[in-house]
């Protein structure tokens, strides 16, 4: 198993991924510069310690996952780079963690977390064995934001188009909630944004689900 240090783990992107990696058997430590908060309480309950410098305690992470908020030049990213750790964006690390699994990818411009949460809740109520990574918290505190499957190879997760890491996923099933012209800082044209969704649809192995009233998604 791999040693992971997760930067920005108080957020709803990195935090649930840290929980999933821990549940999957990896060694995980975390850090966030905002004290308190519900996600940090989830990390503590899962036995994931906060550590501002794991190397000082003799624990050398092999992979350092980080959110988009932990930008180049951040001192902890610089520390990880100096120590020779593998720096990986949150979306790319999720794709690595999901490698070899049958993935249900929930994507779209907005409503991903709500839709993904509904899928997870429905499957959980049906007694299905599956893993999941949600980009948020459930209202029911008994349902954690991430869980590893007991024996199944299915994984439900939302995938993010904002930074291009959506390109790392080849799902079994894709659930596309909607698609609006967004993220012009990353996609210079509307056609470029549409192209990453077309490519995701082409990589989808079994089923693509879209709303009947979305002309753009129907066209793509």
């Amino acid at each position: 198993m791999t040693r992971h240090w997760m930067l920005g783990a108080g957020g709803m992107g990195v935090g649930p991924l840290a929980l999933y990696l821990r549940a999957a058997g990896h060694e995980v430590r975390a850090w966030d510069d905002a004290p308190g908060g519900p996600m940090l309480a989830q990390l503590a309950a899962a036995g994931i310690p906060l550590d501002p410098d794991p190397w000082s305690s003799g624990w050398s992470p092999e992979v350092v996952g980080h959110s988009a908020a932990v930008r180049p030049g951040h001192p902890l990213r610089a520390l990880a780079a100096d120590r020779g750790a593998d720096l990986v964006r949150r979306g790319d690390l999720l794709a690595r963690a999901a490698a070899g699994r049958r993935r249900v990818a929930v994507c779209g411009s907005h409503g991903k977390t709500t839709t993904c949460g509904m899928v997870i809740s429905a499957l959980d109520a049906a007694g299905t064995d599956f893993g999941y990574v949600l980009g948020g918290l459930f209202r029911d505190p008994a349902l954690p934001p991430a869980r590893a499957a007991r024996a199944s190879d299915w994984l439900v997760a939302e995938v993010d188009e904002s930074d291009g890491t959506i390109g790392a996923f080849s799902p079994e099933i894709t659930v596309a909630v909607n698609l609006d012209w967004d993220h012009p800082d990353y996609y210079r044209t509307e056609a470029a944004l549409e192209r990453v969704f077309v490519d995701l649809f082409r990589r989808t192995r079994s089923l693509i689900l879209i709303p009947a009233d979305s002309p753009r998604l129907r066209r793509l």
Side-chain angles (χ1 to χ4, degrees):
M1 292 298 173
T2 304
R3 296 184 301 276
H4 293 80
W5 187 34
M6 306 296 285
L7 303 180
M12 296 301 166
V14 172
L17 180 54
L19 292 170
Y20 177 81
L21 291 168
R22 179 71 179 87
H26 296 281
E27 294 184 50
V28 182
R29 295 190 185 185
W31 184 248
D32 196 278
D33 59 5
M39 186 55 69
L40 295 185
Q42 292 269 351
L43 297 175
I48 299 175
L50 295 181
D51 191 341
D53 182 358
W55 288 277
S56 66
S57 59
W59 189 82
S60 299
E62 300 160 88
V63 175
V64 176
H66 62 87
S67 71
V70 183
R71 299 185 179 279
H74 190 284
L76 294 186
R77 282 187 59 169
L79 173 64
D82 288 344
R83 297 288 184 167
D86 185 12
L87 277 160
V88 187
R89 295 181 297 176
R90 181 260 177 196
D92 290 325
L93 186 52
L94 174 59
R96 284 190 193 182
R101 300 199 174 275
R102 302 176 72 186
R103 288 165 279 188
V104 179
V106 182
C107 62
S109 300
H110 46 86
K112 289 188 291 292
T113 301
T114 301
T115 303
C116 190
M118 290 193 290
V119 171
I120 292 166
S121 296
L123 291 172
D124 187 68
T128 308
D129 180 20
F130 68 105
Y132 65 84
V133 181
L134 182 71
L137 295 173
F138 289 99
R139 186 171 295 175
D140 180 0
L143 199 57
R147 183 174 68 196
R150 294 180 295 276
S152 166
D153 60 354
W154 282 97
L155 177 67
V156 179
E158 53 190 288
V159 298
D160 185 14
E161 79 283 358
S162 66
D163 59 0
T165 54
I166 191 173
F169 293 87
S170 297
E172 185 76 25
I173 297 171
T174 292
V175 181
V177 183
N178 44 55
L179 181 56
D180 297 332
W181 170 221
D182 201 357
H183 311 299
D185 55 329
Y186 191 88
Y187 302 101
R188 295 303 182 186
T189 66
E190 199 165 352
L193 174 62
E194 290 185 348
R195 189 156 49 247
V196 300
F197 278 82
V198 170
D199 291 343
L200 180 68
F201 295 159
R202 286 174 174 160
R203 294 192 303 272
T204 301
R205 297 186 177 95
S206 298
L207 181 67
I208 301 167
L209 297 173
I210 65 170
D213 60 351
S214 174
R216 187 196 299 265
L217 286 175
R218 288 175 66 87
R219 171 172 56 83
L220 298 180

